[in-house]
Amino acid sequence: MRLKELAATRVRYGYRRLHILLRREGWKVNVKRIYRIYREENLSLRSKTPKRRVSCRKRVDRPDATRINDCWAMDFMYDELFDGRRIRLLTIVDLFTRESLAIVVRQRFRAEEVVDVLRHLGVQRSLPKSIRVDNGTEFTSKAVDRWAYENQVVLDFSRPGKPTDNAFIESFNGSVRAECLNENWFLSLEDAKEKIESWRCDYNEHRPHSALGNLAPREFALSDQADYAR
C-alpha cells in the first residue's frame, strides 16, 4: 500500500527510486521484492508523458462511475449542413446516469469555448471528479487544463489509438449519428442546433436505456437507484 501511495504522488519515479524512498522511511525490504510488487501492481512508468497537463490522470485505474456527477465524458463529432459547410458537435455525458448533459453545435471550436460550456454546466449542476477525453488539441490545451486544475477536476485522457478507453461516449456518439444526424437535413446552423437539442431532450427523457433497466436517463437520475448511489 505504501508503494502504491508513493507511486501515485511520485509519478516519474521508477521502482529503484521508490525503493530508496521506502528505505529512507525505515522499510527493510530489498529492491527485488519492490520490483516484483511494482510489476504485480502495474505501476510501470508511462512511456510518454503528457506535456503541460497539471490535471491529467496518470497511474490510477479507471473505476466505474458510482453516482451522479462522479465522472463525465466529452468528445467532438463532425457533420455537414445541406450546402456542405461543416459543423462540429461537442458532446458531454454523465457516465452514471447516461444523461446527455450538452450537445453544443458550432462551425468551429476553440479551447476557450469548451471551457465556456463547462462553466455553464458548472452553474447548472455539481462538477464531476473526472472527465474522460481523448487527446484532441482542444482538450489538451492550457485553457482546459487550467480550468480543470482550478476546479479540482481530473482530466482522464484516453491512450492514443484506444477509443475503447472512452467507450461510452463513442457509443453515445454512434446513437447521435444514427438517430439524429443521419435522419435530418440541416438547412442552417440554427436549424441544426434546434433539431439536435430536440433529439437530446428526447434521448434524456424518453429513450429507454438497457444499462439503466430500460429507464430513460432522466428517469433513472430521479429514481430510487440513483438516490441510493448518492
Side-chain angles (χ1 to χ4, degrees), residues 1 22 188 218:
M1 290 176 63
L22 288 170
S188 66
R218 188 67 50 77

Side-chain angles (χ1 to χ4, degrees), residues 187-214:
L187 299 178
S188 66
L189 185 61
E190 290 304 317
D191 185 43
K193 289 179 179 180
E194 182 179 340
K195 290 176 179 176
I196 291 170
E197 179 62 14
S198 176
W199 180 88
R200 187 185 76 87
C201 292
D202 182 74
Y203 173 90
N204 282 338
E205 296 171 10
H206 303 293
R207 185 183 186 277
H209 202 296
S210 58
L212 305 177
N214 291 323

